[in-house]
Amino acid sequence: YDEVFGILDDLWTIQISFVYEEKECTNDFFINGVHNMKIKKSEKEYVMNLISPVEQALKLYKLNEVYSGTSHEIVGNIFTECTGPASKLIINTPAISKGKYIVPNISARQAIANVVNAAIDADNTGFYFFQRLFEDGVTRLMSLRFMATNFFLRASDGNKIKIYNYIPKAGNPHINNQGSCNTFIQDEYKMNYIEKLAQGNWGNKIHHVLLDKTKVIKNEPIEQTINEITQYKISDKLYDINEVADGPAGKITRYQQKSLFSNIYDPNDVASINMKKRLLNVVLKAKKIVPIGGIGCGLSINVEMGEGDKSKTIGDGNYVIADINHIFSWEGNGYNYQQDMTLIREMA
């Protein structure tokens, strides 16, 4: 890599491949810069910042287009247009939010983020857009409800894999079973709870001001709250009336086109956004896990931290995997592979 320092306007590619449990995992990345370089007499050490080809394309591609349909259809259209037909997007959950989106000359990454942040599924839960290491560059669009019920299963017997605390005892040495871990850190538990409550993370009584109708609608709260806020709702008459021959014998149906974001201040949509915020109330870090092959973000997993002679925890139970740090360290005769995970849920 030293030979290409100083070359302008080029992103060099790097491929990372490893075999775990007789399964090869290969991913391509772009080297998006180098930092923390330590120059020694006989060698150099530095940190490479890597981004996936999908991230590179979505950041560089500017959009000035109009899209219509459900949220997942719009995300799919933008993704294919900007990354090419060879890139793969898996939509695990269809969205019920729909409308028209005029993208105002912003990056495809920001455009997709806007759509995802406003999307809801049939259970009124929000969406996430992400990639997993073990899926060779596949991108996923998935709702929180799907994540909460999508447990990672052991391939050999179909049972749920768990992360558990294994403490070796005399005559019973530690066995490197997948998911065993003896370092758990409760990184956050209901931190800044009062501030979150004031921000409306548990809901608000939402009053809508309809500017095109000179009318105020006071919605009944669907979450526990005493806060009241006023929002200016996007007009339902912002776009044209469409005529479609979809009735019996070709009968014309007329309907009013609406903005994709026309309902973002409705109680159900706000509740879905709040649910995503509240999911970060409990953040648990599991360190130095014996690697679980094929696991990725957006899956649920059970955690058993165990108990000691003087204490026990209410932190056991189901969590959603927020991120995974795959750690490969050279130990003289080969690489040691471990996983660190960030696990999240609303409450203990």
Side-chain angles (χ1 to χ4, degrees):
Y1 188 66
D2 288 346
E3 296 178 1
V4 300
F5 279 154
I7 294 180
L8 300 177
D9 301 326
D10 275 325
L11 283 176
W12 287 77
T13 59
I14 186 171
Q15 185 177 86
I16 297 178
S17 181
F18 64 95
V19 176
Y20 184 66
E21 293 185 321
E22 300 181 352
K23 181 181 179 181
E24 185 175 6
C25 177
T26 302
N27 287 273
D28 295 316
F29 298 94
F30 286 111
I31 302 172
N32 193 31
V34 171
H35 74 280
N36 198 29
M37 180 180 290
K38 299 175 183 178
I39 303 175
K40 302 177 182 179
K41 187 173 183 179
S42 59
E43 62 182 11
K44 295 185 182 75
E45 295 179 3
Y46 43 78
V47 177
M48 289 183 182
N49 298 285
L50 308 179
I51 62 172
S52 70
V54 168
E55 183 180 3
Q56 183 254 6
L58 295 181
K59 284 183 175 180
L60 292 180
Y61 201 103
K62 286 291 185 73
L63 288 173
N64 192 12
E65 303 285 346
V66 179
Y67 300 90
S68 294
T70 59
S71 296
H72 67 271
E73 290 171 342
I74 292 175
V75 169
N77 290 336
I78 294 175
F79 184 86
T80 302
E81 179 180 338
C82 300
T83 63
S87 297
K88 188 173 182 181
L89 172 66
I90 296 178
I91 298 174
N92 291 104
T93 319
I96 62 170
S97 46
K98 61 182 179 180
K100 187 174 183 178
Y101 182 23
I102 300 177
V103 185
N105 196 30
I106 58 177
S107 70
R109 181 176 183 269
Q110 184 58 55
I112 288 179
N114 292 341
V115 177
V116 171
N117 290 338
I120 62 171
D121 67 0
D123 295 297
N124 292 319
T125 64
F127 278 76
Y128 291 89
F129 182 77
F130 59 94
Q131 292 180 305
R132 295 171 177 162
L133 182 71
F134 279 104
E135 293 186 333
D136 301 338
V138 170
T139 306
R140 288 184 179 270
L141 178 67
M142 184 184 299
S143 75
L144 181 55
R145 171 67 177 176
F146 186 88
M147 291 181 181
T149 57
N150 186 27
F151 284 84
F152 188 73
L153 306 178
R154 186 182 290 111
S156 59
D157 55 17
N159 292 326
K160 295 179 182 177
I161 288 182
K162 62 184 178 182
I163 299 173
Y164 63 98
N165 191 354
Y166 188 94
I167 301 176
K169 299 178 182 178
N172 187 17
H174 178 68
I175 300 173
N176 285 336
N177 288 329
Q178 285 190 345
S180 60
C181 170
N182 56 18
T183 304
F184 294 93
I185 301 172
Q186 190 77 68
D187 203 45
E188 182 170 334
Y189 181 76
K190 296 173 66 173
M191 281 292 294
N192 303 314
Y193 182 79
I194 298 303
E195 289 79 2
K196 293 175 182 176
L197 192 63
Q199 291 170 5
N201 287 12
W202 275 263
N204 294 288
K205 295 180 180 178
I206 304 171
H207 300 167
H208 285 166
V209 177
L210 308 182
L211 296 178
D212 56 344
K213 298 179 182 178
T214 61
K215 182 179 180 181
V216 176
I217 297 178
K218 296 189 176 183
N219 296 284
E220 290 298 323
I222 62 174
E223 299 176 276
Q224 297 181 7
T225 181
I226 58 173
N227 296 333
E228 295 190 14
I229 61 172
T230 299
Q231 301 287 358
Y232 294 90
K233 187 174 172 65
I234 296 176
S235 172
D236 290 339
K237 299 179 180 179
L238 191 62
Y239 302 121
D240 297 333
I241 295 176
N242 271 14
E243 295 185 352
V244 181
D246 59 357
K251 184 178 179 180
I252 301 297
T253 301
R254 303 175 78 248
Y255 69 94
Q256 176 72 56
Q257 282 189 312
K258 294 184 179 181
S259 167
L260 182 65
F261 310 105
S262 62
N263 296 325
I264 59 173
Y265 295 126
D266 285 358
N268 285 335
D269 289 52
V270 172
S272 72
I273 295 171
N274 288 338
M275 188 181 298
K276 290 173 67 174
K277 294 177 181 178
R278 294 198 302 267
L279 195 63
L280 299 174
N281 278 337
V282 177
V283 179
L284 177 68
K285 298 289 182 69
K287 301 281 189 178
K288 299 180 180 179
I289 302 169
V290 175
I292 304 171
I295 200 167
C297 302
L299 291 163
S300 286
I301 196 164
N302 185 263
V303 174
E304 295 180 3
M305 288 181 277
E307 59 184 67
D309 297 333
K310 298 181 180 179
S311 66
K312 60 181 181 181
T313 178
I314 62 171
D316 289 352
N318 298 332
Y319 287 80
V320 173
I321 302 172
D323 68 63
I324 303 177
N325 188 12
H326 301 266
I327 303 170
F328 298 88
S329 55
W330 179 255
E331 296 190 348
N333 59 348
Y335 283 96
N336 181 42
Y337 174 33
Q338 294 179 322
Q339 293 172 344
D340 289 355
M341 293 189 191
T342 300
L343 310 168
I344 58 176
R345 69 180 184 186
E346 182 172 348
M347 288 294 180

